[in-house]
Amino acid sequence: MSVAQSAAYRVLSSKRRPCAYHFRSMPRSTLVRFVRGTDRTTGESTVVPDTQLRLPGRGTWLLACRGTIVDASASKRLQHAVVGGAARNQPPLDGEALADTIEADLRARFWEVLARADEEGCVSRGAGAPLGAPNLLIGPRAATTDALRALRAA
């Protein structure tokens, strides 16, 4: 199975999670996970995005869309889903800042995975491609099984 087929299979077979704002089940690949954290300055519970799915805690899921994150933050649905009843005493989250943080995390993660794929020989750069045509191809060109396993774990 190629890297592209493997990625497509994972997207199609990924587990579904309920979105805390839309109240409907969606593929996990379209959602961002949030967990309960502690604000270092105040010591109060707060919402922390978990873009790498590695933080401990039960967490809640939200559609990975700037508008949804901003709206869920303004209405305190996100805070209530993550923090619980303590959200009543807290001001609403800054949804734009939270969305910016998530975007920066995902952008950094993308470049890390792309760099690792390049190191493993899975990236080909095109030269002289027509204007507007993609000039980067990611695939299992000369990748070993170990290299593909490392990419999947990234």
Side-chain angles (χ1 to χ4, degrees):
M1 183 180 301
S2 72
V3 173
Q5 289 172 330
S6 175
Y9 176 77
R10 279 187 283 165
V11 167
L12 294 174
S13 67
S14 66
K15 296 178 181 175
R16 298 176 68 85
R17 298 284 188 252
C19 174
Y21 184 73
H22 293 101
F23 298 113
R24 62 177 193 247
S25 180
M26 299 180 181
R28 197 169 79 171
S29 60
T30 63
L31 303 169
V32 176
R33 181 174 182 256
F34 295 88
V35 295
R36 184 179 191 165
T38 304
D39 187 343
R40 292 182 181 156
T41 57
T42 63
E44 292 183 352
S45 295
T46 188
V47 176
V48 178
D50 182 17
T51 56
Q52 293 190 14
L53 306 178
R54 294 186 177 156
L55 296 176
R58 193 186 76 160
T60 192
W61 298 81
L62 199 64
L63 182 65
C65 169
R66 180 176 285 277
T68 300
I69 293 167
V70 170
D71 292 346
S73 299
S75 68
K76 294 181 108 178
R77 277 193 194 172
L78 180 58
Q79 276 178 292
H80 184 69
V82 175
V83 179
R88 286 188 210 112
N89 303 329
Q90 296 177 350
L93 294 169
D94 182 359
E96 288 292 336
L98 189 59
D100 288 341
T101 300
I102 293 166
E103 186 178 334
D105 287 350
L106 292 176
R107 184 177 292 122
R109 181 80 177 128
F110 168 77
W111 289 114
E112 287 173 16
V113 170
L114 186 60
R116 182 171 289 157
D118 189 28
E119 289 171 4
E120 299 295 340
C122 296
V123 177
S124 297
R125 290 172 192 81
L131 187 62
N135 61 1
L136 185 68
L137 176 65
I138 303 172
R141 185 180 63 176
T144 64
T145 306
D146 292 336
L148 294 175
R149 192 175 299 123
L151 284 174
R152 286 186 195 116

